[in-house]
Amino acid sequence: MSLALDDDLGQILAEGVGAIFAYAAVGLALFVLGFYIVDWTTPGRLISIIRRDRSPNATFLACAATVGIGLIVAVSIFSAGGDLLEGLIRVAVFGGVGVIAQGLAVLIFDRIVGVDVRGCVAESKLEPAVILLGVANVAIGLVTAMAVYG
């Protein structure tokens, strides 16, 4: 009987590890996509602005986008109720929608609200407008995540 339990445990662990890697792969793809969406809305290469120029504004925007996507990924996994295929589809679709929504938010804040995203990123100190935009990215992630759950 204990051998059967060990076999069951082994199968559960193998399936669980496989699911973790699958979700991690889809989540990582979304994080990278989100990073490139932020990159698209900033002047120059975002990674260079973060590493070379040490821009707190570019770093904050990239981090906020990542947190927003993380919320969507986590809630998509949770709302799948243990069904791996459904969870992966939810993460991919809703995560993609969240990334697009974040990109649109940046454009709306830049062009309609008047937040000069490109100008703010060039500043050496953290700008209040970037904090607003970063919080908007997290909020979009949260709203998208709750829409997935609801």
Side-chain angles (χ1 to χ4, degrees), residues 46 49-51 54-64 121:
L46 184 59
I49 295 168
I50 292 170
R51 294 176 84 192
R54 305 186 60 77
S55 169
N57 296 301
T59 303
F60 190 82
L61 286 176
C63 290
V121 169

Side-chain angles (χ1 to χ4, degrees), residues 1 13 16 36 57 62 69 80 87 89 99 104 109 117 120 127 134 143:
M1 178 116 171
L13 291 176
Y36 281 110
N57 296 301
I69 295 300
I89 292 169
V99 168
L104 290 173
F109 272 80
V117 176
C120 286
E127 292 291 316
V143 167

Side-chain angles (χ1 to χ4, degrees), residues 6-128:
D6 289 340
D7 289 343
D8 290 343
L9 179 59
Q11 183 178 353
I12 290 168
L13 291 176
E15 289 173 2
V17 168
I20 289 169
F21 278 122
Y23 282 125
V26 175
L28 179 60
L30 289 168
F31 295 142
V32 170
L33 179 62
F35 182 84
Y36 281 110
I37 291 291
V38 175
D39 183 39
W40 174 62
T41 64
T42 58
R45 283 209 4 99
L46 184 59
I47 194 63
S48 295
I49 295 168
I50 292 170
R51 294 176 84 192
R52 182 193 64 228
D53 302 340
R54 305 186 60 77
S55 169
N57 296 301
T59 303
F60 190 82
L61 286 176
C63 290
T66 301
V67 169
I69 295 300
L71 289 167
I72 298 166
V73 169
V75 172
S76 295
I77 293 168
F78 178 77
S79 66
D83 184 315
L84 179 60
L85 181 58
E86 180 183 338
L88 290 171
I89 292 169
R90 283 173 170 266
V91 168
V93 171
F94 295 128
V97 169
V99 168
I100 292 167
Q102 287 177 330
L104 290 173
V106 171
L107 292 176
I108 289 168
F109 272 80
D110 187 60
R111 298 212 169 70
I112 296 173
V113 176
V115 173
D116 179 15
V117 176
R118 295 176 183 271
C120 286
V121 169
E123 295 295 324
S124 61
K125 65 179 177 81
L126 188 59
E127 292 291 316

